[in-house]
Amino acid sequence: MSSSDRRKPYPFDQIEPKWQARWDAEETFRVANPGEPGFDASRPKFFVLDMFPYPSGAGLHVGHPEGYTATDIIGRYKRMNGFNVLHPMGWDSFGLPAEQYAIKTGQHPAVTTAENVARFKAQLKGIGFGYDWSREIATSDPAYYRWTQWIFLQLYGAWFNPATRKAEPIATYPGEDPDSVRLAYVSEAPVNWCPELGTVLANEEVIDGKSEVGGHPVERRPMRQWMLRITAFAQRLIDELEGLDWPESIKLLQRNWIGRSEGAEVRFALEGVEGGVTVFTTRPDTLFGATYMVLAPEHRLVDALATEEQWPAIRDYREKTSRKSDLERTELSKEKTGVFTGAYAVNPVNSERIPIWIADYVLQGYGTGAIMAVPAHDERDLEFARTFGLPVRAVVQAPGKSVEESEGFTGEGIAIGSPLIDGLPTAEAKRKITDWLEAQGLGKRSINFKLRDWLFSRQRYWGEPFPIVWEGGQHRALSEGELPLTPPELADFKPTGTPEPPLSKATEWVRYSESASRELNTMPQWAGSCWYYLRFCDPANAERFVSREAEQYWMGGGKPGGVDLYVGGTEHAVLHLLYARFWHKVLFDLGHLSTPEPFQRLVNQGIILGEDGQKMSKSRGNVVNPDDVIHQYGADALRLYEMFMGPLEQMKPWSMTGVEGVSRFLARVWRLIMEENQAGEWVLGPVSAEVEPTKAQLKVIHATIKKVSEDIEALAFNTAIAQMMVFVNAFTSTTPRPVSALRTLLQLLNPFAPHLTSELWETLERHFPGGPAGLLEDQPWPRYDEAYLVEDEVEIVLQINGKVREKLVISKDASKEAVEAAALATPKIAEAVEGKTVRKVIVVPGKLVNIVVA
RNA sequence: GCCGAUGUGGCGAAAUGGCAGACGCACCGGACUUAAAAUCCGUUGUCCCGAAAGGGGCGUGUGGGUUCGAGUCCCACCAUCGGCACCA
């Protein structure tokens, strides 16, 4: 007999489908919106959200149910505590992987997506999650992406007013050229083009010069693309992290990604060229140490200032640089390269003449694309200076070091050899020199961010078409009434292999009017997931992306407001979570939302490793399929095991024997109430309504209520389960068993193992009528009474010099003096203290006595 | 290189500055059984003394420190994992 044919420890295969069907039929977890029938305004709200899945062809893996079970436990727990719980699920169904899968299988992405969604949904229902399925959404549904397109139009029709630090309608823009400030704008810039995938990719989608999806080579080429001006919100995206209840590490990741640095822009005059060149530096205090200047190879001014003589070398270098892939760039980063332009700049603080070079270690896209090089106090500049024999001059003295030793010192010290600021510590020197530059009109304070604008267009079929038409080289928005703009039916939706998007093949569709044609690009995968949590609040609304009332109810409350609990993986720390915050802020500024932040509390679940402790992967053959686990042990065991493995946030390896362990526990719960008769049928066991719990049992019951309640609130599910195991162990050995105690256990265990507990609850109701009636899910959460937890007598530990020597049972009300006296009176302690000096006695009531002897 | 997280039995782990190892896995022993599986009961950090009952030493990555008392707080270091990586 193989293990899968083995007799089931309890009939989960019958119980689980039964209850899933019932929750479905009765819409147990459906929650009404304000104004709808059944809405109970007296209850507080709780919005608990999962990162909705990408319905890939592979189906669920065991990582999905980890976070989903955690939110399900919270949702069910809050529901039993009287909250209106919004716990929805949907599908992030547009995007590259779905389309690649469709191409591979030769089917239309709409077909494969529908199949995958059906499979995912069946799998999720098979785990017994309490979702409100009436709110199911899919980002590839026209009724949904109509509003994704509408939000794009909001971005297109808005600008960031630096004076108010807010997005405003473009009509308030006072300038001549509104197209230059729109939050959604067209730009011609070098982008990551992947010929194999036939699309451009965002920086985040390129890893070591290869596409994240499929690992195909990526090259740089200039293309006309749609961009979103996320950089305008850089400061607010940093500032408003402050009030969020997120893991500090994720906040830090976002801050680093946005990469704020404070410094100054300094203007250097050029010899023989008008206007000069501006550099950005975080160390204006080292201005006197600038011995040369470097421009990015692509810098505009290079053409103007390069000398005839140097021109061939420059042209050559520029060409080499432009051909370098990201991979080559990182590989070659150890060796500095560059070319002298033949031109000179003038250092504004000392009128010194310094040579201007070009080098690819200076990036066109950051700061001004030009730097002043201070080799004495910057590692990269020092390396470059050494390679090309450029002078090095120390102008910051390192603490406790000589001037000579201070070369290569990049920290904070004392300014030297710098007439305006000599003797000042770095911070003060920065301030003073910047004040001076500002007064002289030579520079100003400046802040730079690493964050770049978001490349928002893709040359693919399976995404939201842009609600934009082109006429006479000008773009223009479709009216709201023209939404949704659906993609054309295309038999051949494959990428063209050229930058020409596949939508270009639909000639009918492309033609908007006599003189206007449609935008051919589509939106990236992230678009739909930027606002799905809002749609969950009001998924069927045909008038608005979300009604004001629903948005205010579900997203309101709390300090910054928003989703009460959001659980998902760290992989979205800087992508989805940053993009969504950006869109949310735009919609908030434009008056469409009531809160500035989407996600009040964020928790990352740790990834689950294979049994070998390695990351799960097909090639390693260590992938665990949740379907197999459910088949063999049941959904409740899967849920319970994933929560029992360890702390939610921690990375942890899978163990099949561990699953068996929790499966055994569930079977013990089953047999606490059921027993097998001669015929091999499960019938009610030695359960009695007459029996009252003993004092010891009451203590276990109430300690368990307390521990489980507190642990669920703290998302410490593993220890909550451990406590329920203690409960079961305590009751296993006694018969008959008080029905009230068993009911309490079922209530506590229900969020974790809903099928088993519902079945047993129903069984008890049948055998012991007159007790609580109806679905277990609808029962109020049990309360504990502290009175049952305190004992009359406590065991306290007696220590000599911090080492445990003896234990003492004494009344919990005994005074400090009485405890001390009793401790000293015990034979062991008396013997240990004999002939020694008692220096000190520490008494912690109810805990211990520590006797310090000489 | 920079930033962050984590180091506790054979394994997953637990522990408001107060009995380290709850709970589970694995192992070993016992009960039930013709037998096995399942189930139930029990042992199990490690070393030493003891025939046993018992008793003692050492133990939370390493080294210091604070404290009556440190897995927990502070300092330094080491290892593993993750993120960023010419960002001026």
Side-chain angles (χ1 to χ4, degrees):
Chain A
M1 248 210 269
S2 81
S3 59
S4 59
D5 298 331
R6 219 170 43 205
R7 209 173 118 50
K8 310 255 184 297
Y10 73 98
F12 59 81
D13 52 332
Q14 289 154 47
I15 294 171
E16 291 180 353
K18 168 186 160 183
W19 288 96
Q20 286 158 16
R22 184 149 172 205
W23 298 325
D24 233 10
E26 297 183 9
E27 296 195 287
T28 306
F29 298 98
R30 182 171 188 155
V31 63
N33 269 4
E36 285 176 2
F39 176 73
D40 183 351
S42 70
R43 290 165 176 257
K45 69 96 184 180
F46 196 83
F47 187 174
V48 52
L49 183 67
D50 295 303
M51 289 186 184
F52 67 165
Y54 204 93
S56 72
L60 283 184
H61 56 79
V62 290
H64 288 116
E66 190 190 12
Y68 296 171
T69 304
T71 55
D72 197 48
I73 290 167
I74 295 285
R76 286 168 174 269
Y77 167 80
K78 288 285 181 187
R79 202 173 162 279
M80 291 167 101
N81 275 283
F83 285 74
N84 284 326
V85 172
L86 177 54
H87 188 210
M89 184 41 83
W91 319 104
D92 191 11
S93 47
F94 261 144
L96 211 44
E99 193 170 357
Q100 287 303 98
Y101 181 75
I103 291 169
K104 204 173 77 192
T105 59
Q107 285 172 290
H108 194 277
V111 175
T112 55
T113 299
E115 285 171 0
N116 292 344
V117 162
R119 173 143 179 243
F120 265 70
K121 191 172 175 180
Q123 284 185 303
L124 292 179
K125 287 196 172 185
I127 304 173
F129 294 130
Y131 290 121
D132 179 354
W133 285 108
S134 74
R135 293 175 185 257
E136 178 182 0
I137 54 177
T139 56
S140 59
D141 179 349
Y144 180 88
Y145 67 71
R146 166 190 180 165
W147 297 107
T148 310
Q149 291 170 331
W150 177 85
I151 294 170
F152 177 82
L153 291 183
Q154 304 308 303
L155 289 152
Y156 180 80
W159 71 298
F160 186 82
N161 185 342
T164 58
R165 294 182 71 219
K166 276 178 150 187
E168 293 178 8
I170 199 80
T172 70
Y173 175 63
E176 308 274 283
D177 179 15
D179 285 350
S180 67
V181 295
R182 290 180 190 278
L183 294 181
Y185 65 98
V186 174
S187 149
E188 179 101 26
V191 293
N192 304 301
W193 166 254
C194 178
E196 195 65 33
L197 293 174
T199 184
V200 298
L201 297 170
N203 287 334
E204 308 81 68
E205 293 168 315
V206 181
I207 296 162
D208 291 340
K210 292 190 173 149
S211 65
E212 187 185 12
V213 176
H216 307 298
V218 171
E219 51 193 58
R220 310 273 302 168
R221 66 153 83 184
M223 284 171 64
R224 198 210 73 203
Q225 296 296 323
W226 283 95
M227 308 287 286
L228 298 187
R229 207 176 297 280
I230 190 172
T231 51
F233 289 79
Q235 189 63 53
R236 271 173 62 191
L237 286 168
I238 290 177
D239 292 345
E240 289 163 33
L241 277 174
E242 200 62 43
L244 299 179
D245 184 5
W246 285 23
E248 239 356 272
S249 59
I250 297 291
K251 289 189 185 181
L252 202 67
L253 234 44
Q254 289 215 349
R255 282 195 203 99
N256 291 343
W257 186 262
I258 297 167
R260 180 185 199 272
S261 36
E262 241 173 89
E265 282 183 4
V266 185
R267 193 143 195 86
F268 282 64
L270 295 171
E271 275 187 358
V273 183
E274 282 296 301
V277 61
T278 303
V279 303
F280 171 73
T281 178
T282 54
R283 290 299 298 268
D285 61 305
T286 63
L287 207 38
F288 286 89
T291 53
Y292 63 101
M293 176 180 275
V294 186
L295 305 186
E298 307 91 339
H299 199 286
R300 287 176 292 104
L301 278 175
V302 174
D303 290 331
L305 51 76
T307 59
E308 193 94 0
E309 200 185 4
Q310 291 300 103
W311 189 243
I314 287 174
R315 201 174 41 207
D316 191 45
Y317 186 76
R318 277 181 146 182
E319 199 174 316
K320 267 192 215 145
T321 316
S322 70
R323 265 186 293 134
K324 269 188 197 171
S325 67
D326 286 356
L327 183 60
E328 287 170 310
R329 275 204 151 174
T330 43
E331 269 183 354
L332 295 173
S333 68
K334 279 151 206 134
E335 253 177 67
K336 291 279 178 291
T337 60
V339 177
F340 180 43
T341 61
Y344 290 85
V346 180
N347 188 333
V349 291
N350 56 12
S351 303
E352 196 177 349
R353 186 171 181 260
I354 58 172
I356 303 173
W357 288 62
I358 62 170
D360 65 1
Y361 83 90
V362 173
L363 308 173
Q364 175 62 28
Y366 184 78
T368 62
I371 63 157
M372 63 175 202
V374 185
H377 306 295
D378 182 285
E379 268 178 56
R380 296 150 302 176
D381 294 347
L382 183 59
E383 216 179 303
F384 190 84
R386 289 201 170 132
T387 306
F388 294 101
L390 293 157
V392 179
R393 186 194 310 146
V395 291
V396 179
Q397 187 163 8
K401 298 238 169 115
S402 69
V403 175
E404 291 72 33
E405 286 169 338
S406 295
E407 246 176 49
F409 171 70
T410 56
E412 305 216 332
I414 303 293
I416 51 170
S418 308
L420 291 165
I421 50 173
D422 267 342
L424 294 179
T426 298
E428 223 171 294
K430 280 185 186 175
R431 211 175 308 129
K432 188 163 179 196
I433 193 83
T434 311
D435 286 344
W436 184 85
L437 288 166
E438 285 187 339
Q440 303 289 312
L442 294 168
K444 59 169 194 213
R445 284 189 165 72
S446 166
I447 290 161
N448 258 286
F449 297 94
K450 283 200 279 185
L451 186 70
R452 303 297 148 83
D453 277 340
W454 177 10
L455 173 59
F456 194 66
S457 43
R458 298 292 183 274
Q459 294 70 52
R460 298 291 292 211
Y461 173 70
W462 194 236
E464 301 87 348
F466 281 79
I468 292 285
V469 293
W470 290 80
E471 189 159 19
Q474 276 297 305
H475 47 77
R476 147 163 81 77
L478 290 184
S479 66
E480 284 184 32
E482 290 171 278
L483 304 183
L485 170 61
T486 55
E489 289 296 326
L490 262 190
D492 176 18
F493 54 84
K494 288 190 198 67
T496 60
T498 71
E500 190 75 356
L503 292 186
S504 65
K505 290 186 258 191
T507 43
E508 287 279 301
W509 182 87
V510 171
R511 219 175 93 100
Y512 176 73
S513 70
E514 278 298 316
S515 52
S517 61
R518 294 190 190 280
E519 167 66 45
L520 300 177
N521 286 304
T522 52
M523 299 185 201
Q525 156 156 32
W526 311 105
S529 60
C530 267
W531 72 283
Y532 73 112
Y533 54 95
L534 294 169
R535 191 62 177 171
F536 277 139
C537 298
D538 194 14
N541 196 326
E543 309 300 318
R544 217 167 172 274
F545 71 118
V546 55
S547 78
R548 284 188 185 279
E549 205 183 7
E551 188 271 329
Q552 271 164 21
Y553 181 70
W554 293 114
M555 296 294 291
K559 258 286 154 68
V563 173
D564 296 280
L565 177 64
Y566 194 23
V567 176
T570 355
E571 67 272 20
H572 295 115
V574 287
L575 303 171
H576 159 63
L577 287 172
L578 199 59
Y579 295 153
R581 292 181 63 220
F582 163 48
W583 279 34
H584 195 96
K585 286 183 190 308
V586 173
L587 292 169
F588 171 70
D589 287 355
L590 297 177
H592 298 302
L593 299 177
S594 54
T595 64
E597 281 286 338
F599 314 119
Q600 167 57 36
R601 181 171 183 210
L602 174 74
V603 171
N604 291 120
Q605 88 260 23
I607 63 165
I608 297 180
L609 305 170
E611 298 227 37
D612 53 2
Q614 304 281 357
K615 214 169 167 176
M616 281 193 197
S617 75
K618 267 191 205 149
S619 57
R620 282 205 190 86
N622 61 354
V623 176
V624 178
N625 183 341
D627 289 344
D628 297 342
V629 179
I630 291 172
H631 180 249
Q632 201 172 337
Y633 300 100
D636 282 334
L638 173 74
R639 296 171 59 112
L640 200 68
Y641 174 65
E642 295 218 7
M643 295 300 100
F644 188 59
M645 291 172 84
L648 181 64
E649 276 129 306
Q650 193 169 301
M651 181 194 292
K652 42 209 178 276
W654 188 268
S655 157
M656 267 313 176
T657 52
V659 181
E660 247 166 79
V662 297
S663 164
R664 268 203 287 269
F665 164 70
L666 291 173
R668 280 158 69 89
V669 173
W670 176 258
R671 290 194 310 267
L672 220 44
I673 293 170
M674 308 298 283
E675 67 181 9
E676 220 170 0
N677 66 12
Q678 296 286 320
E681 296 156 337
W682 288 108
V683 297
L684 189 75
V687 177
S688 167
E690 308 303 317
V691 176
E692 286 298 317
T694 63
K695 208 175 161 199
Q697 286 175 332
L698 279 169
K699 189 183 175 192
V700 174
I701 292 164
H702 287 265
T704 305
I705 296 171
K706 182 177 188 203
K707 179 84 177 139
V708 172
S709 307
E710 288 173 356
D711 283 356
I712 290 177
E713 295 277 359
L715 309 186
F717 304 115
N718 54 333
T719 49
I721 294 166
Q723 179 61 37
M724 288 188 277
M725 287 173 168
V726 170
F727 182 112
V728 171
N729 290 344
F731 278 80
T732 298
S733 51
T734 60
T735 54
R737 298 171 187 135
V739 70
S740 64
L742 298 173
R743 282 200 169 110
T744 301
L745 173 68
L746 296 179
Q747 287 175 283
L748 297 176
L749 184 56
N750 174 259
F752 298 80
H755 310 89
L756 170 77
T757 50
S758 290
E759 180 70 20
L760 290 173
W761 182 266
E762 190 187 52
T763 304
L764 289 182
E765 189 185 336
R766 200 166 54 238
H767 287 281
F768 302 99
L775 279 181
L776 175 51
E777 280 74 13
D778 292 334
Q779 306 302 318
W781 189 254
R783 303 283 146 198
Y784 65 89
D785 186 342
E786 203 74 53
Y788 292 114
L789 301 179
V790 290
E791 300 212 20
D792 300 338
E793 297 204 309
V794 288
E795 187 188 67
I796 62 171
V797 174
L798 307 184
Q799 299 179 329
I800 303 278
N801 288 344
K803 291 200 193 291
V804 180
R805 283 296 117 107
E806 182 61 298
K807 287 165 191 181
L808 175 70
V809 176
I810 194 164
S811 160
K812 74 170 167 59
D813 299 319
S815 70
K816 271 195 171 192
E817 293 71 26
V819 172
E820 182 177 337
L824 287 165
T826 59
K828 269 218 175 147
I829 297 299
E831 191 189 334
V833 170
E834 180 78 53
K836 294 183 177 140
T837 324
V838 176
R839 292 262 268 320
K840 199 171 180 182
V841 179
I842 289 120
V843 180
V844 182
K847 288 266 182 192
L848 59 66
V849 176
N850 187 17
I851 297 153
V852 186
V853 297

